[in-house]
Amino acid sequence: MATQPQKVLESTITGEEDSTFINEQIEWLKVHRQELQASWSDVANWTGIPSGTLSQLCGPAGYSGNRRKYADMIAVYRQTVAAQADINIDLPEKPGYFETPTSKAITQYLHWGQRGRIVLIVTGAGLGKTETARHFQVNNAGTWIATMTPSTSGIMPMQQRVLKSLGEKHAVGSPAGLSEMICDVLRKRKHGLLIIDEAQHLSIKALEEIRSWYDETGVGIALMGNERVQQSIDGVSRAADFAQLFSRIGLRLPRPTAAPGDAEAVAAAWGVEDPGMIDFLRQIIMRPGAIRGATFALEVAHMLAVAQNTKVNTLHLKKAFAQLSNTKVMA
C-alpha cells in the first residue's frame, strides 16, 4: 500500500500548500488504483466521486473545476484505508471458504442436482449454505445462482432475477417469453445446475414456474432456503393443483442446526487450538446464527485481545459473544 496520509482535514491549507495537498491526494489515488488493479468505476464506488470526474482529475489534461472538493474526498477515503490497514496488521486474516460437515453435505446434494434432479436444501441461518453454493459455482462449470428477496416473490420479478444470473441484465417481455429465454440458456448446458437461493421468498406459483423449466430442459435445480420454503413445498403436496413440484424433488437435506464437527472445522480454519475456546465455539454454533455467529465472535475476540496486547483466549471469546448477543458473559 502507499504511504498513509496525514490528518490534513484538521487544518486549513491555502495557496501553494493547498495545491501541494491536492496533487498529493491525486497521486496517491493513482498509485492506490494501480496497486489494486481497479477500474475507475471501482474507485468511484469507494470514494463517492463520479467516475467521469475521477478520470479527468487523474488524467493528463486535468480537471478544471473545484479540485479541492474532490481532494478532500480522496483524503477521507485515504484515512479510512489507513485505519483499516492498521487493524488488519494486528488481526488474523479471516479465512475464506472452508469445508465443514454441513458444507460437505450441501455440496453432495448440489452434485446430485447436477445429474438433472431437483434438490431441496433447507438449513438454519448462518450454516454457510450461500458460501458453499458460491464455492461450488467457482469449481463447477454451468452453475448459476439466483438469490431471491421479498421483492422477487412473484413470477416476473423471479424470472428477471434468474435471467440476470444467466447474464441477461435487462430482460423484458411477457412471463411466457421470459421463461422461454431462460429455457433457451438452460437446455444448452450439459450438467447445468440452477441454484435458487433464499427460495423461501417465492410464491407457490413462482416455484411452479421453476418446476416447468425443469420439465422443459431437464436442467438440475437446487432450491435453497430456510424452513419456510420447506413449509411452502409441504403445503404444495396437499394442493392437487401444485403437486407436480412436490413429486419431482429428488432429495431433501433438512439441516436446522449445526452438525457434529462444524465447530471443530471453524476452529481449525481460524487456527484455534485452545480446548476451552473450541468448547465455547460448540455452544455458539448450536445457537441461532450458527457458523456466522461464531465467525463474528472470533473477529471481535481477536480485536479485544489486540487491544489488551495478549493472545486471544476463552474469556475474550465469551466477552465477544456477550457483546454481539447483548447478554451477560457466560461462565
Side-chain angles (χ1 to χ4, degrees), residues 295-323:
T295 298
F296 290 164
L298 282 164
E299 288 179 320
V300 175
H302 278 93
M303 291 180 67
L304 294 173
V306 167
Q308 296 177 1
N309 197 28
T310 62
K311 185 178 179 180
V312 66
N313 57 40
T314 306
L315 182 58
H316 292 130
L317 186 59
K318 289 183 175 182
K319 287 182 177 180
F321 181 72
Q323 288 184 18

Side-chain angles (χ1 to χ4, degrees), residues 105-274:
I106 293 171
T107 299
Q108 290 173 339
Y109 275 64
L110 294 177
H111 279 303
W112 181 258
Q114 279 184 313
R115 295 171 60 89
R117 301 290 187 268
I118 297 180
V119 297
L120 177 63
I121 298 169
V122 179
T123 75
L127 284 175
K129 64 180 181 297
T130 298
E131 287 301 315
T132 302
R134 290 172 180 165
H135 180 74
F136 185 91
Q137 181 183 38
V138 169
N139 291 282
N140 290 270
T143 301
W144 306 275
I145 301 175
T147 303
M148 299 298 124
T149 66
S151 64
T152 62
S153 62
I155 291 178
M156 184 174 284
M158 175 275 293
Q159 291 171 313
Q160 291 171 329
R161 181 59 59 87
V162 170
L163 280 164
K164 185 177 180 180
S165 75
L166 298 178
E168 297 287 342
K169 294 184 179 180
H170 305 291
V172 295
S174 67
L178 294 178
S179 277
E180 189 57 36
M181 290 173 64
I182 291 168
C183 289
D184 283 344
V185 176
L186 297 182
R187 65 167 59 95
K188 294 175 183 177
R189 175 65 74 167
K190 187 177 182 181
H191 303 308
L193 179 66
L194 175 60
I195 300 173
I196 306 293
D197 197 10
E198 304 295 346
Q200 70 271 8
H201 294 302
L202 296 177
S203 67
I204 291 177
K205 288 187 176 181
L207 287 168
E208 268 295 297
E209 191 71 17
I210 293 170
R211 189 273 308 165
S212 73
W213 305 339
Y214 172 76
D215 288 351
E216 178 72 20
T217 68
V219 72
I221 294 174
L223 300 173
M224 302 200 314
N226 62 23
E227 67 279 355
R228 284 196 289 124
V229 69
Q230 177 78 62
Q231 293 165 2
S232 295
I233 291 175
D234 286 346
V236 164
S237 70
R238 295 188 291 270
D241 291 342
F242 297 108
Q244 294 182 79
L245 172 62
F246 177 81
S247 67
R248 282 165 174 73
I249 295 175
L251 282 176
R252 298 173 180 233
L253 175 64
R255 187 61 62 87
T257 59
D262 281 349
E264 288 78 3
V266 172
W270 279 85
V272 174
E273 298 178 350
D274 185 307

